[in-house]
Amino acid sequence: AQTVTQSQPEMSVQEAETVTLSCTYDTSESDYYLFWYKQPPSRQMILVIRQEAYKQQNATENRFSVNFQKAAKSFSLKISDSQLGDAAMYFCAYRSGVGTGANSKLTFGKGITLSVRP
Amino acid sequence: DAGVIQSPRHEVTEMGQEVTLRCKPISGHDYLFWYRQTMMRGLELLIYFNNNVPIDDSGMPEDRFSAKMPNASFSTLKIQPSEPRDSAVYFCASSPDSIHSGNTIYFGEGSWLTVV
């Protein structure tokens, strides 16, 4: 079974600075997808960024980028120019890319709470 | 394009009452998921469907919980009878076929359930 680990429960960053959130995962599969979701106080789960394991290039979405290290099974999220609106809980998640049906669920880490200091 | 729609957004009910949560997935999505989020246990997958068929219900806590998907555009999660420990945010989510479209799962805004 796949597992996702977010070992830092909380982090804090100064507004306009850069912060990196860590995530590691364990899998025996070679084809999979990794995600970062943001959950603000409203509790809505918002997709931040997605990475396909078969792609070597790290995904980027505006101020958000990932450092995907497949051999190390590491998938960190970097937030540049942090804004007050970035304060939220962030979840790392894994989804198998192998076949359909039983492998289709999303496995989440426990999340990390990010606070942004003005 | 409308996202995943859940109702009710908030519900407060008394212990022992029946609770029904509803979900309309994104049109064309083949997968539908029900997750529960609590402080103690984080995000838990309760059940998911593929083409309206339940694939994995191993996360359903007990017989008090049941889920149905009578058609591609509607699903329900029912708790009967409800207990205070069922208080949580319940998320419905959907995705296209896992082989295509980047495997992204889209979440609804959640249903906040409080059982008193």
Side-chain angles (χ1 to χ4, degrees):
Chain A
Q2 295 79 28
T3 59
V4 178
T5 302
Q6 294 179 254
S7 56
Q8 307 156 303
E10 297 179 350
M11 286 197 75
S12 180
V13 64
Q14 189 76 35
E15 193 175 8
E17 297 294 311
T18 296
V19 64
T20 299
L21 311 182
S22 301
C23 173
T24 59
Y25 58 94
D26 189 25
T27 184
S28 59
E29 298 174 337
S30 59
D31 182 19
Y32 51 87
Y33 297 79
L34 297 166
F35 305 85
W36 279 97
Y37 283 87
K38 171 185 178 182
Q39 189 178 44
S42 67
R43 294 293 195 112
Q44 186 173 2
M45 294 288 285
I46 302 166
L47 177 69
V48 175
I49 199 164
R50 177 185 71 225
Q51 175 77 43
E52 293 89 341
Y54 62 83
K55 289 187 177 179
Q56 293 186 339
Q57 186 172 6
N58 289 324
T60 299
E61 289 286 343
N62 300 315
R63 298 183 295 107
F64 299 87
S65 62
V66 300
N67 183 5
F68 173 49
Q69 301 289 329
K70 191 171 184 178
K73 296 180 182 175
S74 170
F75 182 60
S76 60
L77 175 69
K78 186 171 82 170
I79 306 174
S80 304
D81 185 25
S82 296
Q83 300 175 0
L84 295 177
D86 295 332
M89 180 165 275
Y90 287 82
F91 291 92
C92 179
Y94 172 104
R95 190 179 191 190
S96 173
V98 177
T100 59
N103 291 323
S104 292
K105 65 182 180 181
L106 198 61
T107 301
F108 285 95
K110 291 188 180 299
I112 178 171
T113 300
L114 176 68
S115 59
V116 181
R117 305 185 302 275
Chain B
D1 189 18
V4 177
I5 299 172
Q6 292 186 244
S7 64
R9 289 296 316 280
H10 296 86
E11 178 149 349
V12 180
T13 191
E14 291 185 348
M15 183 174 62
Q17 295 298 306
E18 178 179 290
V19 174
T20 300
L21 307 179
R22 298 172 177 80
C23 176
K24 176 179 169 54
I26 294 172
S27 178
H29 281 191
D30 299 318
Y31 288 86
L32 184 139
F33 305 81
W34 283 100
Y35 280 87
R36 178 173 69 174
Q37 186 179 32
T38 61
M39 289 291 290
M40 292 295 294
R41 301 173 70 91
L43 278 157
E44 302 174 277
L45 176 66
L46 299 177
I47 185 172
Y48 75 93
F49 297 82
N50 179 212
N51 292 322
N52 313 339
V53 176
I55 302 298
D56 183 356
D57 65 354
S58 60
M60 296 286 263
E62 48 199 273
D63 292 344
R64 298 185 297 107
F65 285 70
S66 63
K68 294 181 180 179
M69 192 166 185
N71 57 62
S73 59
F74 183 67
S75 177
T76 59
L77 177 68
K78 188 171 293 186
I79 308 171
Q80 167 61 25
S82 59
E83 297 182 3
R85 59 190 169 125
D86 302 330
S87 298
V89 182
Y90 291 82
F91 288 102
C92 179
S94 71
S95 83
D97 187 295
S98 65
I99 293 179
H100 307 292
S101 304
N103 264 278
T104 300
I105 296 179
Y106 299 90
F107 284 77
E109 293 183 319
S111 292
W112 294 54
L113 174 65
T114 302
V115 184
V116 298

